[in-house]
Amino acid sequence: MTDKVFVDTNALIYAHDLDAGMKHDRAVSIISDLWERENGIISVQVLQEFYVSATRNISNPLTPASARGIIQNYLAWHVELNDPSALSTNTPYVV
């Protein structure tokens, strides 16, 4: 699979929420596959939403430092900026 895959906030949250049960397991599998294939895309907005949710809204919130470290790792992916030009690109995404 060579198509780029855009990852949403829920996938990231489930991948890092150890209490999410089967959703955690599935999200970890998906995210791991994207790392291996190097075809993940993420947006600044998703990273911001992840930080807020992971540090406040899950059963066992991450520390701010831990959440920032995770975000730092995802900056290795293609990061889509939230601006009007993002809406007019012809980049194929698999959602």
Side-chain angles (χ1 to χ4, degrees):
M1 179 176 172
T2 60
D3 290 332
K4 298 293 185 178
V5 178
F6 186 87
V7 176
D8 75 356
T9 307
N10 289 329
L12 286 189
I13 292 296
Y14 291 137
H16 297 282
D17 181 0
L18 301 177
D19 296 324
M22 290 179 59
K23 290 180 181 180
H24 168 75
D25 297 339
R26 181 70 177 132
V28 166
S29 176
I30 291 167
I31 298 294
S32 296
D33 186 58
L34 293 173
W35 276 108
E36 184 178 315
R37 295 176 185 266
E38 298 179 353
N39 64 338
I41 297 176
I42 201 156
S43 72
V44 171
Q45 179 179 343
V46 166
L47 293 173
Q48 291 168 324
E49 291 171 352
F50 168 79
Y51 180 86
V52 171
S53 292
T55 59
R56 298 180 190 172
N57 300 335
I58 61 176
S59 299
N60 291 303
L62 302 177
T63 65
S66 179
R68 284 192 302 271
I70 291 167
I71 289 168
Q72 187 67 38
N73 289 334
Y74 284 110
L75 294 178
W77 288 15
H78 172 85
V79 178
E80 189 67 38
L81 300 177
N82 300 334
D83 64 24
S85 68
L87 299 173
S88 63
T89 65
N90 291 323
T91 305
Y93 295 114
V94 176
V95 181

